[in-house]
């Protein structure tokens, strides 16, 4: 049985990857790994993180492109650059709040 931990980062927070050159804004959090076994097995064993930690869905960007990333908590650090995100979907889901933080837009339900 996996031990569930509280998430260190929050929705709307800008983070960067500890090893790879990309950053992103968090739009969802899984309390533990919740992706496919195929995806899990595609990670080289020597760098594969444990499943019993929060995993974050990011609107991610690097110097070349924008994409969605799924990253373990151990591989993220807070982004302190103060640079706004340029990802094309950020403004659809978030409003700027403070440096390094976005506020989720209100959801209108009918």
């Amino acid at each position: 049985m996996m031990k569930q931990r509280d998430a260190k980062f929050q929705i709307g927070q800008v983070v960067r990857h500890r090893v790879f050159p990309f950053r992103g804004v968090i739009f969802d959090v899984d309390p533990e790994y919740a992706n496919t076994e195929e995806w899990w097995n595609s990670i080289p064993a020597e760098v594969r993180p444990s499943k019993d930690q929060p995993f974050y869905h990011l609107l991610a960007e690097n110097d070349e492109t924008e994409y969605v990333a799924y990253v373990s908590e151990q591989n993220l650090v807070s982004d302190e650059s103060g640079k706004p995100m340029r990802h094309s979907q950020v403004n659809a889901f978030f409003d700027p709040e403070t440096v390094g933080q976005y506020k989720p837009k209100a959801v209108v339900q009918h």
Side-chain angles (χ1 to χ4, degrees):
M1 186 168 127
M2 293 188 209
K3 178 183 167 224
Q4 187 171 326
R5 298 192 339 217
D6 290 331
K8 177 179 176 182
F9 304 108
Q10 60 189 5
I11 292 175
Q13 186 172 356
V14 180
V15 293
R16 63 180 173 83
H17 196 279
R18 191 179 294 279
V19 177
F20 299 111
F22 71 87
R23 61 193 209 113
V25 61
I26 297 167
F27 69 89
D28 197 11
V29 182
D30 294 332
E32 59 187 35
Y33 182 78
N35 207 334
T36 65
E37 281 303 306
E38 180 181 43
W39 188 89
W40 183 256
N41 290 324
S42 72
I43 303 169
E46 63 275 5
V47 295
R48 194 176 298 152
S50 68
K51 291 182 177 182
D52 65 343
Q53 63 181 311
F55 275 73
Y56 299 83
H57 300 262
L58 310 176
L59 296 176
E61 62 189 40
N62 61 27
D63 289 342
E64 290 84 39
T65 191
E66 301 170 356
Y67 52 98
V68 172
Y70 190 63
V71 186
S72 65
E73 185 170 273
Q74 76 185 53
N75 284 319
L76 292 176
V77 294
S78 182
D79 180 76
E80 306 295 335
S81 71
K83 294 176 9 185
M85 295 293 299
R86 69 168 200 283
H87 194 290
S88 60
Q89 291 184 297
V90 168
N91 291 333
F93 298 104
F94 297 99
D95 289 320
E97 190 170 60
T98 60
V99 172
Q101 184 71 38
Y102 288 82
K103 179 180 171 186
K105 289 190 177 202
V107 177
V108 177
Q109 296 182 344
H110 300 278

